[in-house]
Amino acid sequence: MQTTMQDRPLTLSHFLYRAERYTPSKLIVSGTATGVEERSYGEWALRTRQLASVLDFLGVPRDARVATFAWNSARHLELYFAAPCSGRVLHTLNIRLFPEQLTYIVNHAEDDVIFVDRSLLGLLGPLLPTFTTVRHIVVMEDGGDAPDPDGVNLLDYEELIASAHPAEFQELQETRAASMCYTSGTTGNPKGVVYSHRSTYLHTLAVLQADSIGVRESDTVMPVVPMFHANAWGLAHAGVATGANLVLPGPRMTPSALADLIVEQRVTVPAGVPTIWMGVLPELAGRDTSALRAIPCGGSAVPKALSEAYREQLGLPILQAWGMTETSPIASVAVTRSWLQDLPEDQLADLRASQGPAVLGVELRIVDQESGEELAWDGVTRGELQAAGPWIASGYYNDDRSAESFTHDGWLRTGDVAVITTDGYVRIVDRTKDVVKSGGEWISSVELENEIMAHPAVAEAAVIGLPHKKWGERPFAAVVVRPDASVTKEEILEFLEGRVASWWLPDDIVFIDEVPKTSVGKFSKKDLRDRFADHVLPTE
Ligand code: AMP
């Protein structure tokens, strides 16, 4: 039987239409190197349409990749919509990738044009000769003062916009590519994920679900998570779709500048990785944070101690979310289910320290890596977490490494090890590559790190497995002590007793100044392994 419903494509121009028709006076505030700039959604929509004409003027073909090398800003948001709504593909470049990785992804994606913030020109300039397909570089003045690189013809964003007519957008197929993003993988070259209009549209609705982040028109959303990392978790799209005010911090990324923006702009939903929130909390002490409604956090496990510190200081715990570049990224959010709300506070804190139930639209399962069999949701059985849904990748762009990351029945193999409780809460135990395999048993580096970070004198802790003759591998912890605090190895071991099984206790603990981080702010276990490759455990 044929449906009698309209077959209208789910494309991003609908969000832009909403912003210009329903919420033109709502605001986008952008941090610049020198202050803040305000723009209404009405102005933003007009400029976005003008920018689409600029792409025509520059001869950027349909389907061509329009790259950005930029902080979070209203201009970046113009590109977020002008490229896909005019049939091009937005390619957000991670400004913190190694130079050779940037060269690889620009050439692999065959970027046609790059839009770069003036303050980031110093990073990009030296790489320009290595790009083989880029025809234009357009500079966005953000208050930065990097000089023009020699011998390159730079175009000026504002000049181009000023002379452009607003474009009308043609109807596009919803399955058309809208944007792409490369994974920040620590091994091998980054892999490209290509989002469609449809996947981005549906993912945005997932961010709007009341049982996820629940973004709504009355919010003021501040994605601290970069717009070059996994779509800023869908929050930039959610802002446009709902008309929520957006605060885009630009280069103003220090903890004190972020705290100022939260307080001064009366932000309701700021979102970022755990290291951001570790830095910001002390800066919020004694200030008016009454507007805050939810603090989404993900990208790596949120230590329970961090979430509890927010609850104690601000009365608002962190809202943990889990996802990957391959999952758009929002796949699960640790909301508290109604039947669990009366649990004792400590158990509620445990729920919040989990990655939560899958959001509506995503299916998650845990699977035995060897037999491929699905495992029980009993809260103890561990397996590889796999994901399926309309905003989950089914392969990588032009990459023969796709096969190993997807199952025969089309699910994404996340590379995360997890348990799922009877209530459907996912608890990430580790990355498959990071679990410490001691005598055939697994020790979760993430859980051990969390327990060490619960010590009041510890700022950060990262655990890796080091070779051991008897056990194969044993846990080793690198710990960063809080400023003005002190703690010894013995005190940490004593603190851990009773909190973890005795055979989980690290065989050695060393103190370091800082845990090495990846380009998106996660603990870089690879760098840590390299650094301590020759370290001999005292138990050897
Ligand atoms: P990326 O593609 O860079 O966003 O990295 C995705 C990976 O980050 C996931 O596979 C997880 O290993 C990790 N991750 C993201 N969110 C969380 C979270 N809430 N808890 C633990 N790990 C997370």
Side-chain angles (χ1 to χ4, degrees):
M1 190 179 182
Q2 290 272 319
T3 172
T4 63
M5 291 295 119
Q6 298 183 7
D7 187 14
R8 303 267 290 184
L10 308 179
T11 54
L12 296 181
S13 50
H14 181 65
F15 296 169
L16 179 125
Y17 157 83
R18 298 271 312 177
E20 66 193 350
R21 281 299 174 89
Y22 290 91
T23 54
S25 56
K26 299 295 297 291
L27 290 180
I28 306 166
V29 175
S30 307
T32 69
T34 47
V36 293
E37 274 173 13
E38 259 183 31
R39 181 166 302 163
S40 71
Y41 274 113
E43 288 164 329
W44 167 84
L46 176 66
R47 287 168 54 91
T48 301
R49 290 183 180 281
Q50 288 173 299
L51 178 58
S53 291
V54 169
L55 296 175
D56 293 340
F57 168 74
L58 295 177
V60 179
R62 300 283 140 158
D63 258 350
R65 265 64 73 200
V66 174
T68 59
F69 196 76
W71 301 107
N72 292 6
S73 72
R75 290 197 190 94
H76 206 166
L77 192 67
E78 287 158 10
L79 284 151
Y80 250 55
F81 281 77
C85 292
S86 65
R88 281 98 178 182
V89 182
L90 176 83
H91 176 198
T92 50
L93 298 170
N94 180 340
I95 62 170
R96 301 203 183 92
L97 284 183
F98 291 120
E100 54 277 17
Q101 288 180 317
L102 274 168
T103 298
Y104 172 82
I105 67 175
V106 169
N107 293 338
H108 187 263
E110 298 177 85
D111 293 337
D112 191 47
V113 48
I114 303 181
F115 287 77
V116 52
D117 277 337
R118 167 68 67 182
S119 64
L120 296 171
L121 205 48
L123 278 180
L124 194 72
L127 301 181
L128 295 180
T130 68
F131 300 155
T132 53
T133 58
V134 177
R135 293 183 307 119
H136 302 290
I137 304 290
V138 183
V139 178
M140 302 183 281
E141 297 298 340
D142 66 347
D145 55 7
D148 289 359
D150 289 337
V152 186
N153 181 27
L154 300 176
L155 300 168
D156 180 75
Y157 188 89
E158 292 302 326
E159 270 175 30
L160 288 168
I161 294 255
S163 53
H165 291 292
E168 287 298 323
F169 295 128
Q170 310 296 317
E171 190 172 284
L172 300 171
Q173 279 192 338
E174 63 179 22
T175 48
R176 192 181 181 105
S179 62
M180 70 188 305
C181 185
Y182 281 72
T183 60
S184 52
T186 43
T187 47
N189 279 322
K191 293 179 269 189
V193 177
V194 183
Y195 310 99
S196 65
H197 279 262
R198 174 187 156 84
S199 72
T200 312
Y201 191 114
L202 292 171
H203 177 254
T204 308
L205 296 188
V207 174
L208 270 50
Q209 285 174 24
D211 284 328
S212 82
I213 298 172
V215 172
R216 62 201 71 156
E217 182 273 324
S218 54
D219 275 322
T220 295
V221 180
M222 181 167 96
V224 180
V225 50
M227 288 169 76
F228 57 73
H229 183 211
N231 300 307
W233 301 351
L235 292 164
H237 292 106
V240 177
T242 57
N245 290 334
L246 274 174
V247 178
L248 304 170
R252 304 183 80 77
M253 290 290 283
T254 61
S256 75
L258 292 172
D260 286 350
L261 283 172
I262 290 173
V263 173
E264 286 158 16
Q265 301 297 328
R266 299 202 54 76
V267 171
T268 63
V269 182
V273 295
T275 42
I276 292 284
W277 298 131
M278 284 177 197
V280 167
L281 186 63
E283 303 289 338
L284 290 174
R287 304 185 68 179
D288 178 6
T289 53
S290 58
L292 285 172
R293 159 178 96 65
I295 306 174
C297 181
S300 45
V302 178
K304 183 173 159 186
L306 178 68
S307 192
E308 284 301 277
Y310 268 78
R311 189 172 69 84
E312 275 156 33
Q313 187 178 314
L314 307 184
L316 187 67
I318 276 173
L319 178 62
Q320 174 151 207
W322 172 86
M324 312 170 69
T325 304
E326 290 87 335
T327 66
S328 290
I330 300 296
S332 71
V333 180
V335 289
T336 305
R337 299 299 210 188
S338 60
W339 66 90
L340 300 170
Q341 266 161 6
D342 295 329
L343 285 175
E345 200 48 61
D346 194 47
Q347 289 179 38
L348 286 175
D350 282 338
L351 279 186
R352 292 191 289 258
S354 81
Q355 284 67 25
V359 295
L360 172 66
V362 170
E363 288 181 45
L364 296 175
R365 68 183 182 191
I366 43 171
V367 168
D368 181 298
Q369 270 179 288
E370 265 143 45
S371 69
E373 265 170 49
E374 191 172 346
L375 298 168
W377 291 17
D378 58 11
V380 279
T381 310
R382 293 158 180 224
E384 183 182 39
L385 186 65
Q386 299 185 348
W391 56 89
I392 312 292
S394 60
Y396 293 107
Y397 176 64
N398 271 351
D399 204 310
D400 53 18
R401 290 169 295 177
S402 289
E404 65 209 48
S405 300
F406 298 90
T407 64
H408 292 305
D409 56 349
W411 288 56
L412 167 73
R413 301 182 56 183
T414 66
D416 286 335
V417 182
V419 303
I420 304 183
T421 68
T422 47
D423 293 309
Y425 282 69
V426 171
R427 192 177 295 281
I428 304 278
V429 176
D430 224 326
R431 295 288 297 164
T432 44
K433 296 190 186 91
D434 293 340
V435 276
V436 182
K437 297 180 186 90
S438 170
E441 297 289 338
W442 284 2
I443 297 173
S444 157
S445 68
V446 173
E447 281 174 44
L448 200 45
E449 285 161 7
N450 277 340
E451 293 303 340
I452 302 174
M453 285 192 275
H455 191 290
V458 173
E460 287 182 335
V463 169
I464 54 172
L466 285 185
H468 192 279
K469 274 197 218 82
K470 181 164 178 205
W471 301 109
E473 260 182 5
R474 288 293 300 154
F476 161 84
V479 170
V480 181
V481 180
R482 282 186 194 284
D484 308 327
S486 71
V487 64
T488 63
K489 170 178 162 181
E490 289 68 33
E491 282 164 349
I492 293 181
L493 289 172
E494 210 173 293
F495 175 78
L496 289 175
E497 264 168 44
R499 299 178 77 101
V500 298
S502 57
W503 59 277
W504 278 38
L505 290 177
D507 280 26
D508 202 3
I509 297 176
V510 298
F511 295 96
I512 57 176
D513 290 339
E514 195 188 342
V515 176
K517 309 276 182 345
T518 69
S519 59
V520 289
K522 303 178 195 207
F523 289 176
S524 174
K525 300 281 175 92
K526 180 179 171 291
D527 286 333
L528 210 59
R529 277 190 206 105
D530 289 348
R531 175 160 168 195
F532 290 101
D534 298 329
H535 187 83
V536 180
L537 291 173
T539 49
E540 272 277 76

